[in-house]
Amino acid sequence: MALCCAISNEVPEHPVVSPVSGSIFERRLIEKYVTENGSDPINGKELTLEMLIDIKTTPVVKPKPPSATSIPAILKTLQDEWDAVMLQSFTQRQQLQTARQELSHALYQHDAACRVIGRLTKEVTAAREALATLKPQAGIAQPSAAIPQPALAVEAGGVANQPTEQAGMSAEVIQKLQDKATVLTQERKKRGRTVPEDLVPQETIRNFKTVASHPGLHSASVPGILSLDIHQADTSKILTGGNDRNATVFNKDTEQVVAILKGHTKKVTRVIYHPEEDIVITASPDTTIRVWNVPSSQPLQLLRAHDAPVTGLSLHPTGDYVLSTSTDQYWAFSDIRSGRLLTKVTEGSSATGLTTAQFHPDGLIFGTGTSDSQVKIWDLKEQSNVANFSGHSGPITAISFSENGYYLATAADDACIKLWDLRKLKNFKTLQLDDGYEIKDLSFDQSGTYLAVGGTDIRVYVCKQWQELKVFNDHTAMATGVRFGRNAQFIASTSMDRTLKLYSV
């Protein structure tokens, strides 16, 4: 119900109530009445201004008096509205034209800036590549204090000025290999079947999860990391080889790139981090093998042992020699200190392209994989093929010897892993994976307790029982490399999705 003043019978603008009669009044009217009469106008009882009580109500909105009460007045109102709309429309058209001009100018500036940035980026890349080529030519690679500086292979006209003929396996070299194998065999017997005390147990590996993912180690323009290795003496240092023709040394603890190694003219497909020294070895389809000093990011040696893409790389336990394989059907044994090719061997007419290589832990024998599904075992001193393992279908993609020296794991394009007993020279276990599963890398941990598989996903198996412990599906593309940290404290993997991922608890 509406409030009405008892005097004017209108809705009051400032309503008050009289406690004497309970009636509602307009404040200005009742104040005048009380001032003159001193009583309530309804019942005549005594009333003062202080006794009046304000009523809080919403403001009264009075209707506007009608203005358009005639046809001329209505027409005048419509004309005014039309004029206002036209003026506003004209102003908005002017503002739109100005905004279009400013946007066109900004887009032109952005396009020009992008062109300049692209040109400068190409110039910087070309300058870096020229610098990486000129430094080894000038022979200015700085030696590390802890690493004796071998003579650099000086390049001239794109060809290494070093002998490509075989220097031969001297009696001194063979004795060195034999002495190292004897020491390693004795150490292995002394350890027996004991495992390191701080080796991560199976239950902990089951609880591993992704703790870090690093996508910025290699160029995004040619995505993909193709190879991986970890420095055994300092497992915080991780080495990767990429599709961008570079190798990168990364410190996982500081999350900083330690070195970017530029020099290969094609992608880097194999990498090795020297287990004791701060040097790395890389191989590429450009037919070269390069030895690098990590602190200076400079090449120490350029090895040209092959005439076709290098497909396999393995460092001898002495740390002085490297084994390489190639699609040219040869395996080569080179001295990384002097850059000399010691020997280069093929099977002759029955030879086929080699796909991978791995030294036995003792260093006197090694395995190679072939493009026709064969795994061949070689005697290094005799330079002869001593055993062949058949059973795969498709090119061999990865091989790995276990630490105890008894087992060899192999994989090919047939979605299975075969385990071979080197004492009996036979296949004693086959791990059959899903149809279409691709395997790119195999790696035993340093104790020979676990086997990691990299390919369609990352899998970890426990040896002897050969049971699957854990599967990691975090990569969005094919995994290309997998390695264990010291005592399996962590697992690292690389992928064609351009990331390095670390797994731990």
Side-chain angles (χ1 to χ4, degrees), residues 13 16 57 87 90 113 132 176 179 190 254 289 309 322-324 327 335 370 382 423 471 487:
E13 290 183 6
V16 293
T57 61
L87 287 173
F90 176 73
K176 186 176 180 180
D179 292 344
K190 188 181 299 183
T254 62
I289 300 166
V322 67
L323 168 71
S324 58
T327 55
D335 187 330
T370 70
E382 300 296 330
R423 296 164 295 185
V471 178
N487 295 323

Side-chain angles (χ1 to χ4, degrees), residues 466-500:
W466 307 109
Q467 294 176 343
E468 184 182 285
L469 279 183
K470 183 70 176 180
V471 178
F472 302 98
N473 292 301
D474 295 358
H475 283 297
T476 58
M478 183 68 62
T480 55
V482 61
R483 290 291 184 275
F484 286 95
R486 183 183 292 111
N487 295 323
Q489 298 289 337
F490 69 92
I491 299 172
S493 68
T494 53
S495 166
M496 292 303 294
D497 66 9
R498 205 167 61 90
T499 63
L500 163 69

Side-chain angles (χ1 to χ4, degrees), residues 215-267:
L217 304 186
H218 291 270
S219 170
S221 60
V222 190
I225 301 178
L226 304 176
S227 48
L228 166 72
D229 201 15
I230 297 177
H231 193 4
Q232 289 185 20
D234 180 4
T235 54
S236 66
K237 292 182 179 178
I238 299 176
L239 171 65
T240 59
N243 243 338
D244 60 358
R245 302 179 293 180
N246 298 335
T248 300
V249 180
F250 178 75
N251 189 310
K252 74 175 183 67
D253 293 343
T254 62
E255 298 190 347
Q256 298 292 321
V257 172
V258 177
I260 298 179
L261 310 175
K262 297 175 177 286
H264 283 291
T265 57
K266 292 184 179 180
K267 58 190 178 182

Side-chain angles (χ1 to χ4, degrees), residues 271-284:
V271 295
I272 295 175
Y273 213 129
H274 197 288
E276 298 165 358
E277 303 172 21
D278 210 5
I279 62 177
V280 301
I281 308 167
T282 60
S284 166

